[in-house]
Amino acid sequence: MSSKQKRPAAKAARPTRPAEATRGGEPDGTDVRARGAKGASSAKGARTGDGGKKAATGSGKAAAGPSGPRPGRIGAAAVLTAVEGLALAALGVYMLVVGLAGSPDSPRQAEMGGLTVLALAALPLVAARGLWLRRRWSRGPSLITQIVAFPVAWTLVNGGGALIAAGIGLAVVAIAVLALLVNPTATEALGIAPRD
């Protein structure tokens, strides 16, 4: 048999390879492009350490807060910070009502003071919600609120009368929240790693 007669037989055996190449497949029938996308998402999941869960959910966002039960320290700090925020909000509303309906020395000053106190009440309330949901960013605003509470407590104590009890109560709450938030258990629960 001549070499020209052998060539058509060899060409007849080859068509499976080009067909697979144009299909983008492997000999077992899997699609290389689909497998490449799966491999890329698996590699991405392995890099992020979530085993590809982000790719499966399609959201691409990390979990909102640390998992597991909320420690009692974080819950207590959230509640106390919320109480401070609610007390500020009540004071702001009172100042607004007195400014609008009462007869203060300067109605405009009373109204502006009430609005300012209401705006300040937002900080501890937002921080309390963040602590309750175990958001990492919430520790800073809550600590700032406690530090600002000390001069306010001092002013209340110097005011005399019933304000002395309010000032002492505010100082005690501020110290308690600071102690709760600087505790290593609380920082770990909020996902804040200790510095080396």
Side-chain angles (χ1 to χ4, degrees), residues 106-186:
S106 173
R108 182 174 289 172
Q109 188 176 5
E111 292 164 11
M112 287 306 295
L115 289 174
T116 303
V117 171
L118 279 175
L120 290 174
L123 180 67
L125 290 174
V126 169
R129 184 175 189 277
L131 286 172
W132 188 258
L133 297 175
R134 294 173 63 190
R135 301 290 194 265
R136 180 181 182 147
W137 56 262
S138 62
R139 184 173 178 251
S142 184
L143 290 174
I144 290 169
T145 300
Q146 308 322 312
I147 292 168
V148 170
F150 288 118
V152 175
W154 179 256
T155 304
L156 290 173
V157 168
N158 287 333
L163 294 178
I164 294 175
I168 292 172
L170 178 60
V172 168
V173 168
I175 291 170
V177 174
L178 282 173
L180 290 169
L181 289 179
V182 297
N183 189 287
T185 306

Side-chain angles (χ1 to χ4, degrees), residues 70-133:
R70 180 185 311 105
R73 293 176 186 275
I74 296 294
V79 169
L80 290 173
T81 304
V83 167
E84 289 173 329
L86 291 174
L88 271 175
L91 178 62
V93 169
Y94 172 76
M95 290 173 72
L96 272 177
V97 169
V98 168
L100 294 172
S103 57
D105 297 335
S106 173
R108 182 174 289 172
Q109 188 176 5
E111 292 164 11
M112 287 306 295
L115 289 174
T116 303
V117 171
L118 279 175
L120 290 174
L123 180 67
L125 290 174
V126 169
R129 184 175 189 277
L131 286 172
W132 188 258
L133 297 175

Side-chain angles (χ1 to χ4, degrees), residues 37-60:
K38 271 197 240 175
S41 67
S42 297
K44 187 177 181 182
R47 268 185 272 126
T48 57
D50 64 356
K53 289 179 186 173
K54 287 183 190 175
T57 58
S59 66

